[in-house]
Amino acid sequence: QQQVKQSPQSLIVQKGGIPIINCAYENTAFDYFPWYQQFPGKGPALLIAIRPDVSEKKEGRFTISFNKSAKQFSLHIMDSQPGDSATYFCAASRGGADGLTFGKGTHLIIQP
Amino acid sequence: SQTIHQWPATLVQPVGSPLSLECTVEGTSNPNLYWYRQAAGRGLQLLFYSVGIGQISSEVPQNLSASRPQDRQFILSSKKLLLSDSGFYLCAWSRGGHSNTEAFFGQGTRLTVV
């Protein structure tokens, strides 16, 4: 059972455009929603995270939008650059230390 | 500052051979520790997590085991590798004693079973 569904699987955007990656979750016990960026052959790096008490969080060019009633959240990358080309993962977790449930990832390419 | 070390970076092992991957964390005490496996197109799957020495929780039944012999050391093992054990293995840590804090990943081990 996939508890976090991520789309699209791949995405190509021109430099300066705003790629949007969407995730939907099923488990209402989830209360922490991070996004990770991964470059080939490297471990994922935490980009930004949100908790369900807010509807939006912005850090630099990265913004998370969160819709608790729809059980959906999305990542927007403003003024995208070729260096943003990577695989992006959304994730979710419940309270406690029992780890993250990940989406399947989005392979993003920013064309110059 | 905290750092996480994971080794080796790549490993090629024959079917039926044993496995030992090691992960250590520096700069923090009593971290929560995790092993994930990443397969192409399938995201990251949580394999094991640990909240303290000797305390291991398994998320999926499999051919692998984990141990935590010291506070900041986490080991992933197998007695006999299968072809299906091939993948990218990632260790991660988060602050112990807190719920839902950031998780930080190591650089991973690419395991190929041949």
Side-chain angles (χ1 to χ4, degrees):
Chain A
Q1 178 185 7
Q2 185 187 356
Q3 296 192 54
V4 179
K5 294 183 179 180
Q6 182 172 347
S7 63
Q9 190 172 14
S10 61
L11 183 60
I12 300 174
V13 173
Q14 294 294 314
K15 177 184 174 182
I18 305 175
I20 300 173
I21 304 171
N22 300 297
C23 285
Y25 62 97
E26 301 167 1
N27 190 342
T28 55
F30 288 147
D31 62 358
Y32 174 69
F33 304 89
W35 284 90
Y36 284 83
Q37 179 190 59
Q38 185 179 33
F39 294 105
K42 303 295 184 182
L46 179 65
L47 264 181
I48 185 173
I50 197 167
R51 300 184 190 277
D53 53 344
V54 297
S55 60
E56 185 175 281
K57 183 175 182 180
K58 183 179 295 186
E59 287 186 4
R61 296 185 293 110
F62 300 94
T63 299
I64 300 179
S65 298
F66 187 83
N67 186 330
K68 186 175 181 179
S69 60
K71 294 187 286 186
Q72 295 175 347
F73 58 110
S74 59
L75 177 70
H76 298 61
I77 306 176
M78 310 302 288
D79 187 28
S80 59
Q81 301 296 315
D84 296 329
S85 298
T87 300
Y88 291 81
F89 292 94
C90 63
S93 72
R94 304 169 294 182
D98 55 350
L100 294 162
T101 299
F102 281 86
K104 291 188 175 182
T106 297
H107 182 52
L108 173 65
I109 296 174
I110 307 298
Q111 292 184 331
Chain B
S1 63
Q2 300 86 4
T3 56
I4 180 169
H5 302 279
Q6 191 179 342
W7 67 93
T10 60
L11 190 59
V12 180
Q13 292 284 97
V15 169
S17 64
L19 173 73
S20 181
L21 302 181
E22 189 163 342
C23 171
T24 60
V25 180
E26 296 178 354
T28 188
S29 297
N30 195 32
N32 300 322
L33 296 173
Y34 307 87
W35 279 111
Y36 289 85
R37 177 168 57 201
Q38 185 174 20
R42 297 181 63 181
L44 286 80
Q45 181 186 35
L46 179 64
L47 302 176
F48 301 95
Y49 69 93
S50 171
V51 298
I53 295 174
Q55 300 179 61
I56 308 295
S57 296
S58 175
E59 286 295 300
V60 294
Q62 57 206 312
N63 185 42
L64 302 168
S65 63
S67 62
R68 184 169 177 174
Q70 300 181 39
D71 180 46
R72 290 170 289 178
Q73 183 185 30
F74 206 24
I75 297 172
L76 184 68
S77 304
S78 173
K79 293 182 179 178
K80 290 185 177 181
L81 284 168
L82 306 172
L83 286 173
S84 58
D85 291 323
S86 294
F88 192 44
Y89 289 84
L90 290 153
C91 181
W93 74 274
S94 66
R95 278 195 302 161
H98 295 78
S99 295
N100 289 336
T101 62
E102 296 88 345
F104 301 95
F105 285 81
Q107 291 302 293
T109 296
R110 174 73 61 190
L111 171 66
T112 304
V113 182
V114 296

